[in-house]
């Protein structure tokens, strides 16, 4: 039983990363019918910006400019990095995707791959191939709950992720901009005729998706404190799988599928030899998609997507 | 269409005219360095490059390499293999066919050295890998050599050390199944351990794939298995994550590693979590004497940190190459003939006294030398703990 619970705790943490990143894929698809393949790399950029901000604030604080408790530094890091990374997202949309909005979707997808490579190699040129250590902002404390080991980091990661997801949900449901996004997802040809600017909404979607990716990047840096310029590639692909599994364009779907993917990966190892992890995990997902080709919450005709 | 074609052709022509050595045929001795400058283990590439540059400085100061009473200038061709097997193959092919190097030093990790060694052997170009410990690198390849001990030696050394030091009978192994070095070493360790403690004494044999960062499910399984010690022959970046996650999941027993741990960057990523752990390696910088000490001081002065084993092994490999070239008779200018001559004289070297210890070469081009068990001190330094000889 403790074995099972321990795996459950592990899976919750692992799934939060997938969910946060899958949301970015899914939202962009909902609005523009476009898979932003650079999203995994925006996640990487977010993690590096987080690294920069955290190092900067810690350096300032230690120089005596101001005294801050570590948790406040963390909160500031997350907020500032989300803000900064959202501009990276806007830039990617403006430079990479907007000129191609009328082009075939394949061209746009290829552009995404290229932007990804530019971000990776740009980072490589800027910071070199050395891996960087994400600063330990919170001291890791392990609690032993009847044989199940939970760290304060794990609780924080799952908590912050859920808060962000809930925030996004509220934004999309309750605000005017959220309504515009949902309308745009419903029909991006007619809605602009009603006076809603597709450029504003597209930029906003990229900004929000990138901000979430940045938050994921920082939380990732706290859990796995070794960053390298290629960390976003495979991770991005897997989150993309989660977005598909959840149903393209569905926020709830992406969240649930992200967690589900984390659970499948962890629990496959619990039962089978770990060598077969990805083989079995992704076969299961393939099987699910065979029976539900549009994912859990996707709709058969892509013109009618939910957000 | 026509214009485009013309433009492309003229570009090509201009490119060929201006490319440095398409016309000339100098008698420079070119030494290829195939190293991971970027990718998973850039610190390894850096150490290789610095050691090679120091070697070149010495050669330049001496006015070149002396072969058959004549001095030849030496040029290094340093290429990045991105720590990928396919790139290492590409780099070797390029260095052999385009740059016409006489001999190749590298690649370092077995994952790249095994496939790249095949290329070198096919093109009949001598290659020496300073750091690759997997037996497949040199097996049945007369043109491929190495400068370090092998995993079939390192595996039993570690198993024996754990047995002797702690008296444990149950071990767990966690390794990367997609990389030749950890996979090979994990299997050699398992074999040796089960020979000592009976079948089934490796209670958990778990794996992951390159680029994974979350090992929680494997570690949970290992903890449940009741293992007394964890052996993980991984590279330094993964070690930091594995050790931290193991501690966070409540593991407080020893974790033991192999020579891939021995990078100057390990402590930077791992922090206090790695204190008190053991690993086997090629040399220990703390407490070195003689030529080794001189090398360490010089490297430290030039690069600002104490060299790890890769730097030292590359240094030794380059000196073995130097010895081979110097004793190869003469440089004819016919690259194929010269490569054969260098191979033959490399194979003739029977003993070599390097900064990583005394080595004797076997028929296959593998050295027999001692391993060092290092303990990571509370200050994060690699301290010599004991020496294990074959």
């Amino acid at each position: 039983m403790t074995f099972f619970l321990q795996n459950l705790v592990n899976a919750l943490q692992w799934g939060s990363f997938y969910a946060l990143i899958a949301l970015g894929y899914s939202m962009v698809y909902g609005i523009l019918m476009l898979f932003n393949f650079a999203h995994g790399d925006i996640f990487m950029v977010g993690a590096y910006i987080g690294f920069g901000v955290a190092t900067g604030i810690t350096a300032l604080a230690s120089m005596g400019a101001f005294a801050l408790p570590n948790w406040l530094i963390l909160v500031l890091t997350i907020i500032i990095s989300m803000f900064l990374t959202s501009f990276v997202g806007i830039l990617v949309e403006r430079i990479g995707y907007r000129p191609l909005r009328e082009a075939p979707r394949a061209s746009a997808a290829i552009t995404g791959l290229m932007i990804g490579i530019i971000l990776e190699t740009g980072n490589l040129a800027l910071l070199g191939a050395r891996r960087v250590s994400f600063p330990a902002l919170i001291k890791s404390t392990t609690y032993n709950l009847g044989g199940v080991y939970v760290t304060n980091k794990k609780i924080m990661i799952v908590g912050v992720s859920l808060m962000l997801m809930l925030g996004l949900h509220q934004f999309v449901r309750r605000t005017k901009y959220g309504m515009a996004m949902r309308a745009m997802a419903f029909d991006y040809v007619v809605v602009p005729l009603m006076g809603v600017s597709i450029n504003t909404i597209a930029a906003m979607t990229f900004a929000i998706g990138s901000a979430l990716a940045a938050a994921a990047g920082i939380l990732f840096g706290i859990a796995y404190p070794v960053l390298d310029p290629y960390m976003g590639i495979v991770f991005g692909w897997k989150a993309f799988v989660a977005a598909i599994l959840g149903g393209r364009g569905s926020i709830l779907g992406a969240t649930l599928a992200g967690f589900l993917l984390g659970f499948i990966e962890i629990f496959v190892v619990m039962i089978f030899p770990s060598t077969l992890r990805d083989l079995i995990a992704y076969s299961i997902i393939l099987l699910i998609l065979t029976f539900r080709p549009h994912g859990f919450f996707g709709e058969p005709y892509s013109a009618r997507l939910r957000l | 269409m026509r214009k485009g074609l013309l433009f492309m052709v003229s570009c090509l022509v201009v490119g060929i005219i201006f490319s440095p050595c398409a016309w000339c045929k100098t008698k420079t001795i070119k030494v290829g360095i195939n190293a991971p400058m970027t990718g998973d283990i850039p610190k390894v590439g850096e150490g290789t490059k610095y050691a090679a540059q120091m070697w070149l400085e010495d050669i330049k100061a001496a006015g070149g390499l002396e072969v058959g009473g004549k001095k030849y200038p030496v040029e290094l061709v340093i290429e990045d293999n991105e720590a990928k097997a396919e790139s290492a193959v590409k780099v070797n092919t390029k260095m052999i066919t385009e740059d016409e190097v006489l001999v190749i030093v590298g690649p370092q990790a077995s994952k790249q050295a095994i496939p790249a060694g095949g290329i070198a052997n096919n093109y009949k170009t001598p290659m020496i890998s300073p750091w690759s410990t997997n037996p497949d690198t040199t097996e049945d390849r007369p043109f491929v050599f190495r400068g370090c001990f092998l995993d079939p030696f390192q595996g039993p050394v570690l198993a024996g050390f754990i047995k002797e030091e702690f008296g444990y009978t149950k071990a767990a192994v966690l390794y990367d199944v997609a990389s030749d070095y950890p996979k090979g070493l994990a299997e050699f360790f398992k074999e040796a351990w089960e020979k000592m403690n009976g079948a089934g004494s490796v209670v958990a044999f778990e794996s992951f794939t390159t680029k994974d960062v979350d090992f929680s499910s494997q570690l949970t399984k290992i903890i449940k298995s009741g293992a007394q010690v964890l052996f993980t022959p991984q590279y330094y970046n993964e070690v930091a994550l594995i050790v931290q996650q193991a501690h966070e999941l409540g593991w407080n027993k020893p974790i033991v590693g192999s020579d891939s741990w021995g990078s100057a960057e390990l402590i930077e990523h791992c922090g206090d979590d790695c204190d008190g752990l053991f690993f086997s390696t090629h040399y220990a910088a703390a407490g070195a004497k003689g030529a080794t000490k001189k090398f360490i001081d010089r490297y430290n002065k030039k690069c600002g940190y104490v060299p790890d084993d890769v730097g030292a092994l590359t240094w030794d490999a380059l000196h073995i190459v130097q010895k081979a070239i110097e004793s190869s008779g003469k440089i004819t200018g016919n690259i194929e003939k010269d490569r054969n001559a260098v191979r033959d004289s490399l194979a003739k070297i029977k003993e070599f006294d390097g900064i990583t210890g005394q080595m004797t070469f076997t028929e296959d081009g593998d050295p027999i030398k001692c391993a060092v068990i290092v303990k990571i001190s509370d200050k994060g330094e690699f301290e010599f703990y004991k020496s294990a000889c074959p």
Side-chain angles (χ1 to χ4, degrees):
Chain A
M1 190 61 197
T2 53
F3 183 52
F4 175 80
L5 284 176
Q6 182 69 61
N7 275 303
L8 195 71
V9 171
N10 298 343
L12 265 177
Q13 168 178 312
W14 191 229
S16 344
F17 296 119
Y18 282 143
L20 277 177
I21 299 172
L23 279 173
Y25 276 110
S26 212
M27 274 174 29
V28 169
Y29 187 82
I31 304 290
L32 295 173
M33 306 247 312
L34 163 91
F35 281 119
N36 172 18
F37 280 116
H39 196 60
D41 295 297
I42 292 179
F43 157 72
M44 177 275 292
V45 171
Y48 270 86
I49 289 179
F51 163 75
V53 172
T55 317
I57 297 181
T58 328
L60 279 178
S62 67
M63 267 157 55
F66 41 79
L68 289 177
N70 269 348
W71 65 269
L72 196 59
I73 296 185
L74 178 69
V75 171
L76 279 176
T77 304
I78 294 181
I79 293 172
I80 297 174
S81 312
M82 283 175 79
F83 183 71
L84 292 176
T85 313
S86 65
F87 285 100
V88 177
I90 293 172
L91 209 66
V92 166
E93 196 271 336
R94 184 68 193 84
I95 297 171
Y97 293 118
R98 197 180 293 179
L100 291 172
R101 199 166 289 153
E102 305 304 323
R105 294 294 84 175
S107 311
I110 301 292
T111 310
L113 292 177
M114 289 189 288
I115 292 172
I117 295 172
I118 292 171
L119 290 177
E120 287 151 23
T121 44
N123 184 339
L124 203 61
L126 200 67
L127 292 174
R130 266 181 84 253
R131 282 149 195 280
V132 299
S133 276
F134 201 87
L137 290 176
I138 40 178
K139 184 105 191 77
S140 173
T141 323
T142 309
Y143 309 105
N144 182 353
L145 309 173
V148 180
Y149 289 87
V150 184
T151 56
N152 52 348
K153 286 191 207 165
K154 279 198 171 113
I155 299 171
M156 196 273 298
I157 287 165
V158 176
V160 171
S161 309
L162 288 176
M163 251 159 56
L164 287 169
M165 289 165 202
L166 205 69
L168 179 68
H169 182 77
Q170 292 298 324
F171 174 80
V172 171
R173 287 282 145 201
R174 301 267 157 109
T175 65
K176 220 165 120 187
Y177 282 107
M179 191 159 81
M181 277 171 75
R182 279 184 290 146
M184 200 66 82
F186 194 75
D187 192 329
Y188 75 103
V189 179
V190 174
V191 172
L193 300 177
M194 309 291 169
V196 181
S197 160
I198 187 164
N199 285 344
T200 314
I201 299 298
M204 196 175 76
T205 312
F206 268 87
I208 295 175
S210 307
L212 289 177
I218 293 165
L219 297 178
F220 193 85
I222 288 166
Y224 314 106
V226 183
L227 307 183
D228 82 293
Y230 298 105
M231 63 192 257
I233 304 177
V234 176
F235 207 67
W237 292 342
K238 290 185 171 176
F240 174 62
V241 170
I244 296 280
L245 188 65
R248 294 168 294 193
S250 160
I251 287 184
L252 181 65
T255 310
L256 289 180
F259 279 110
L260 181 70
L261 191 62
F263 279 80
I264 292 178
E265 277 197 12
I266 299 269
F267 280 94
V268 161
V269 178
M270 183 177 129
I271 300 163
F272 300 100
S274 37
T275 313
L276 305 174
R277 185 193 65 192
D278 284 0
L279 180 71
I280 296 177
Y282 290 87
S283 302
I284 294 174
I285 288 159
L286 195 64
L287 205 69
I288 299 177
L289 285 175
T290 313
F291 290 105
R292 281 201 72 92
H294 301 286
F296 295 132
F297 296 91
E299 289 191 4
Y301 299 101
S302 40
R304 291 162 144 267
L305 284 169
R306 267 189 229 150
L307 196 66
Chain B
M1 186 61 220
R2 253 279 179 54
K3 249 185 181 164
L5 202 67
L6 200 72
F7 178 69
M8 264 174 69
V9 170
S10 47
C11 274
L12 270 176
V13 170
V14 171
I16 290 169
I17 292 172
F18 285 102
S19 67
C21 238
W23 300 111
C24 53
K25 187 130 187 159
T26 52
K27 279 201 180 178
T28 311
I29 294 175
K30 286 188 178 177
V31 176
I33 307 280
N34 187 342
M37 306 306 299
T38 63
D40 280 341
I41 43 174
K43 199 77 185 170
V44 169
E46 194 182 282
T48 314
K49 191 177 88 183
Y50 286 151
Q53 284 170 345
M54 277 165 59
W55 175 75
L56 189 65
E57 279 169 20
D58 283 0
I59 298 290
K60 279 205 176 134
L65 261 183
E66 197 177 313
V67 190
K70 227 174 117 188
K71 286 204 170 174
Y72 294 89
V74 174
E75 191 187 316
L76 287 178
V77 181
I78 303 179
E79 291 277 341
D80 176 21
N81 63 32
E82 302 168 310
K84 288 184 196 152
E86 61 274 16
S87 303
V89 165
K90 220 162 58 194
V91 164
N92 255 17
T93 315
K94 179 191 169 270
M95 290 198 300
I96 294 168
T97 55
E98 287 176 38
D99 298 324
E100 303 205 318
V101 297
L102 180 61
V103 49
I104 294 170
V105 175
Q108 300 288 10
S110 297
K111 184 180 175 180
Q112 293 100 43
I114 294 173
I119 297 293
N121 198 51
N122 289 347
Y123 280 103
K124 300 205 182 313
T125 305
M127 171 183 126
I128 178 163
S129 170
W131 199 49
S132 165
T133 48
N134 192 300
D136 289 346
T137 308
T138 55
E139 203 165 71
D140 294 331
R141 289 171 177 170
F143 278 84
V144 184
F145 301 83
R146 80 174 87 222
C148 51
F149 53 69
L150 280 84
D151 293 337
F153 164 67
Q154 191 175 192
V157 160
L158 281 162
F161 165 74
I162 294 169
K163 183 86 194 155
E164 202 178 295
E165 188 72 22
F166 305 109
Y168 292 154
T169 53
K170 284 191 282 181
V173 179
L174 178 62
Y175 68 100
D176 179 356
V177 74
S179 185
D180 285 329
Y181 164 82
K183 185 166 177 284
L185 190 47
E187 279 157 8
F188 291 121
F189 176 84
K190 186 179 181 209
E191 200 186 315
W193 185 263
E194 297 204 326
K195 208 185 265 172
M196 266 185 258
N197 300 295
S201 55
V202 172
V203 286
F205 197 63
E206 296 296 320
S207 68
F208 59 94
T209 40
T210 319
K211 292 267 171 208
D212 276 1
V213 290
D214 187 274
F215 311 104
S216 57
S217 47
Q218 289 94 328
L219 288 166
T220 306
K221 235 175 155 175
I222 286 169
I223 290 167
K224 191 188 167 224
S225 73
Q228 294 160 308
V229 59
L230 171 62
F231 173 61
T232 183
Q234 286 306 322
Y235 295 105
Y236 57 87
N237 53 313
E238 288 143 344
V239 172
L241 296 176
I242 292 171
V243 170
Q244 279 175 8
Q245 287 174 33
H247 288 164
E248 284 175 3
L249 287 166
W251 173 274
N252 43 24
K253 298 165 196 163
I255 301 174
V256 175
S258 55
D259 65 306
S260 52
W261 280 36
S263 164
E265 237 175 66
L266 176 71
I267 299 304
E268 191 187 317
H269 293 311
C270 199
D272 298 340
D273 278 299
C274 276
D275 292 354
L277 304 184
F278 294 95
F279 64 91
S280 66
T281 188
H282 307 273
Y283 96 128
K289 287 187 282 287
T292 316
K293 176 97 176 68
K294 228 192 257 165
F295 167 76
I296 292 169
D297 290 346
R298 194 172 146 200
Y299 188 102
N300 202 349
K301 208 167 140 200
K302 182 173 150 71
C303 319
Y305 62 94
V306 174
D308 36 34
D309 55 345
V310 176
L313 286 169
T314 307
W315 178 263
D316 271 356
L318 281 161
H319 280 89
I320 294 171
V321 164
Q322 180 182 349
K323 194 172 166 189
I325 295 176
E326 281 171 349
S327 58
S328 68
K330 69 175 212 244
I331 298 288
T332 59
N334 177 339
I335 193 78
E336 276 156 32
K337 240 189 217 165
D338 290 344
R339 283 172 180 165
N340 269 318
V342 171
R343 188 223 91 86
D344 289 343
S345 65
L346 259 175
K348 270 191 215 121
I349 297 177
K350 284 283 160 267
E351 286 204 356
F352 185 80
D353 196 10
I355 56 170
T356 58
Q358 182 84 33
M359 32 192 136
T360 325
F361 286 86
T362 65
E363 293 294 303
D364 294 328
D366 296 328
I368 299 168
K369 61 201 272 194
C370 299
V372 169
I373 304 281
V374 161
K375 183 179 186 178
I376 302 174
S377 73
D378 290 342
K379 272 185 267 157
E381 280 168 347
F382 295 165
E383 269 174 8
F384 177 87
Y385 193 74
K386 64 172 20 168
S387 174
C389 290

